[in-house]
Amino acid sequence: MDETTLGQLRAWLSDAQLPEDGRLPPERELADRFGVKRAELRKALAVMEGEGRLRRHVGKGTFLAKEDPADVPTDAAIIAHRTSPPEAMQARIIVEPEIARLAALKATSAQIGEMKELCLQMRHAKTWGEYEHLDWRFHNLLAEASGNNLLLEIQRLVNGVRRAVVWGHLAKRPIGPSPDYHSFDEHDAIVEAIASRDRRGAADAMRRHLNSTASTMLDD
């Protein structure tokens, strides 16, 4: 990702007079403002979403994250203190295959393109922290592609909790995922099924991915 675009976005947000609801202008308008392609802008938006600065809502737009103790990230942190890694995985195995099934039905071509781009970026991640952010964005994007706003909020909560309880030890490792890391091919299989509109295949691919991840957690 071009760090210049991210810097422009940060600077613009610090000075922008946004409306009361904190909604950002449409992506096309922001891309024109910064003189970049929309795909490059989306990468910068995704970074700031990962930092907790922005929230993206399907069909509504991109908003500044609320600095409110009752907001979802804080709820996720509170729940994470009471949640073990196996419990987080159990919740994912219940929720995420059905999200993938819906995404195979409703995902737009732009969303599928972004999924493929995220899969490619994950293969080139140099650190676990970088991979973690891309993986977090990938699974949230699947929920966005489901077209179900309630499932999206549930997934964001589940994803936030598992990020807190699962990723902490990985982020401290000095070297990122190896070229043969199991999730790479598994993510590709999920996206391939979604792009083919194979609902059962997408759900099965997600379930295999989560079971593989759970097995890896036990090995670690």
Side-chain angles (χ1 to χ4, degrees):
M1 185 192 68
D2 186 351
E3 292 294 331
T4 302
T5 303
L6 181 58
Q8 287 179 304
L9 180 60
R10 292 189 196 280
W12 181 81
L13 283 172
S14 66
D15 296 332
Q17 299 295 319
L18 296 177
E20 287 187 9
D21 62 2
R23 184 176 181 176
L24 276 65
E27 288 183 1
R28 186 182 301 278
E29 182 179 329
L30 284 175
D32 289 344
R33 178 188 295 272
F34 301 145
V36 299
K37 296 181 178 179
R38 291 178 69 182
E40 189 64 32
L41 173 68
R42 288 194 188 105
K43 294 176 186 177
L45 291 171
V47 169
M48 297 202 69
E49 183 183 17
E51 295 172 347
R53 295 282 309 281
L54 299 176
R55 296 284 302 277
R56 290 199 268 183
H57 297 271
V58 177
K60 295 181 180 179
T62 302
F63 300 79
L64 281 178
K66 298 177 182 178
E67 296 182 1
D68 184 342
D71 204 13
V72 171
T74 303
D75 288 346
I78 293 171
I79 294 171
H81 284 298
R82 309 196 305 266
T83 304
S84 67
E87 288 174 332
M89 286 306 306
Q90 288 168 359
R92 294 186 69 193
I93 291 170
I94 291 170
V95 172
E96 293 195 50
E98 294 309 310
I99 285 176
R101 188 191 302 273
L102 276 175
L105 178 65
K106 297 185 177 182
T108 66
S109 58
Q111 287 170 329
I112 292 172
E114 189 174 352
M115 291 174 199
K116 292 179 178 178
E117 177 63 23
L118 285 169
C119 286
L120 182 61
Q121 291 178 34
M122 280 187 273
R123 287 183 179 272
H124 292 91
K126 301 300 183 185
T127 66
W128 279 106
E130 181 183 356
Y131 176 84
E132 172 200 359
H133 165 70
L134 294 168
D135 179 71
W136 179 83
R137 174 61 190 145
F138 176 79
H139 285 276
N140 276 348
L141 177 59
L142 290 176
E144 292 174 16
S146 76
N148 185 304
N149 285 314
L150 181 55
L151 276 177
L152 173 58
E153 293 305 319
I154 292 172
Q155 166 61 16
R156 279 182 171 151
L157 178 60
V158 171
N159 210 7
V161 171
R162 69 104 178 184
R163 194 179 193 188
V165 302
V166 173
W167 279 105
H169 69 292
L170 288 176
K172 297 176 183 177
R173 295 181 181 179
I175 300 174
S178 62
D180 62 350
Y181 185 53
H182 69 92
S183 288
F184 295 152
D185 289 342
E186 292 163 5
H187 286 154
D188 287 343
I190 294 167
V191 176
E192 182 179 351
I194 290 172
S196 300
R197 305 302 179 184
D198 180 359
R199 286 175 282 177
R200 177 179 293 179
D204 288 345
M206 176 62 79
R207 194 171 290 108
R208 286 194 297 271
H209 169 53
L210 296 176
N211 286 328
S212 178
T213 299
S215 297
T216 302
M217 284 172 53
L218 290 176
D219 292 339
D220 286 343

